[in-house]
Amino acid sequence: MPDVSAVAATDLLQREIADPDTQWSLGTFGAIAEFARDRDEPVRLTQSVEAVAAVTPRGGIALNHNGNSRPFASESISKSGWSHRIALCLPSGDCAMNRRNALTEVGADREALRPEDREAILFDLGLGALQADFCVRIADPYLAARLRQLCGRAIFEHDNPAMEMMLGANPHRVFISRLGRIEVYQPIPPPSGKSPEGPHTHVLPRLLKSGRTHAATEPVPEGWIPCAHIYPPHPLRDGMGEARPFDRAHHQRFQRILAACGDPETLAIKRRVVAAVLAGEPPVTIAGDRHGRAGIRIALRQVKAEGQASTTLAAWLATFDQSGPEDGDDPAALHHEG
């Protein structure tokens, strides 16, 4: 894991929370809350040495600077180009949450981001994930009493009415890790509906059953667990995942982050490839693991996206960037990435 100073990590959080184009997520493989806001949307921002937060009418996020946490930046191959993110990681021994396996009443949500929500009752859905608890917040006393009677049962039991009750009531969703929380106030879309713009959640039982803490395509250093993610603006995709003209400033911004808190070996491979391509050298074999090979392909796609002149780029792409099993948008991230 790159050795990033506490000051640099705090600066990163403060800089990104202030940018309305940066998006965030918190959760695990198969269950995730996302936070995003519009440029013209009312927001209450908090930036301090201890924590950052943003609260809008549609949802909120609060993250604390834990002295044991480290930011780790990475890129992955996607069908339409590449994706990028910054994982906010804790050592595997420090990240565990409650790991409840049944619906459980937690009590009044005293840590709610808005004062008016602090008397409402949290119920843990009991998804059993390592690094996050997945809760709903119930303000209706009658619904809370009905859910209380169902506590101790698995939420996805075929005859458990709890999920149907919650879908009908549209409670706030509150996803919590050791680094903070994301709250979603928007209604839950129907099973056949599209996720709304802005804050929303996904829960996919099939992926949860894998027990993974993150996607195999995300190269998190061994012994570390991602407890939240930051998604700075992508140079080729907007916040909804739609294509846009290449934005050099966004690209250079993330490359600086990658240099500061990414994998130095993968970064060295990328730099070697870019230098060779721009010098007009023919393709050569470059040693590397799965993530190193992905780094080669990402470097080539980025050279192409930037429109840099090279007489051998086409040959490099033909040699290294053929479609394969590592392609595909990351099903774990469940996030609009490039």
Side-chain angles (χ1 to χ4, degrees), residues 33-283:
E34 297 185 41
F35 176 80
R37 62 187 177 95
D38 294 339
R39 283 182 166 269
D40 59 352
E41 186 172 12
V43 60
R44 174 167 54 84
L45 283 176
T46 302
Q47 296 166 281
S48 71
V49 174
E50 293 80 20
V52 298
V55 181
T56 74
R58 297 185 294 170
I61 182 171
L63 295 173
N64 61 78
H65 176 66
N66 183 309
N68 293 328
S69 68
R70 297 289 185 276
F72 182 76
S74 64
E75 299 170 313
S76 299
I77 287 288
S78 69
K79 290 179 181 177
S80 53
W82 69 92
S83 60
H84 69 214
R85 86 289 294 163
I86 306 162
L88 302 177
C89 300
L90 282 171
S92 56
D94 296 337
C95 71
M97 291 297 287
N98 292 286
R99 308 198 75 176
R100 301 179 182 101
N101 290 304
L103 183 66
T104 304
E105 181 179 0
V106 177
D109 187 11
R110 304 301 185 194
E111 303 300 319
L113 300 181
R114 305 186 302 185
E116 62 265 32
D117 296 322
R118 292 174 187 164
E119 297 300 321
I121 305 301
L122 278 183
F123 285 85
D124 190 328
L125 298 178
L127 302 185
L130 172 64
Q131 79 269 43
D133 290 343
F134 305 93
C135 303
V136 293
R137 189 165 59 210
I138 307 297
D140 178 1
Y142 175 69
L143 177 58
R146 294 178 69 195
L147 290 177
R148 199 169 284 128
Q149 296 175 344
L150 298 170
C151 285
R153 296 180 60 181
I155 196 72
F156 292 119
E157 282 182 5
H158 72 279
D159 60 346
N160 189 345
M163 187 62 76
E164 183 177 354
M165 292 179 187
M166 289 183 283
L167 290 173
N170 277 311
H172 295 172
R173 280 82 73 211
V174 183
F175 287 15
I176 308 169
S177 79
R178 294 292 176 195
L179 296 184
R181 60 167 57 198
I182 288 179
E183 301 182 359
V184 176
Y185 313 142
Q186 298 196 102
I188 303 170
S192 59
K194 180 181 178 181
S195 295
E197 296 182 14
H200 62 277
T201 57
H202 300 273
V203 176
L204 301 179
R206 181 179 60 82
L207 295 183
L208 277 169
K209 287 179 181 178
S210 72
R212 295 188 60 91
T213 59
H214 58 282
T217 52
E218 184 179 0
V220 175
E222 186 175 355
W224 293 80
I225 304 296
C227 296
H229 284 87
I230 308 172
Y231 305 91
H234 194 279
L236 284 177
R237 300 279 162 180
D238 64 19
M240 293 303 296
E242 299 298 325
R244 65 180 174 193
F246 181 78
D247 189 313
R248 189 177 302 275
H250 288 335
H251 177 62
Q252 292 176 343
R253 168 180 167 182
F254 191 80
Q255 295 311 300
R256 289 192 295 270
I257 296 172
L258 199 62
C261 53
D263 174 45
E265 292 185 8
T266 302
L267 185 62
I269 289 173
K270 283 187 62 184
R271 286 173 172 168
R272 286 174 56 195
V273 169
V274 172
V277 171
L278 295 184
E281 297 177 10

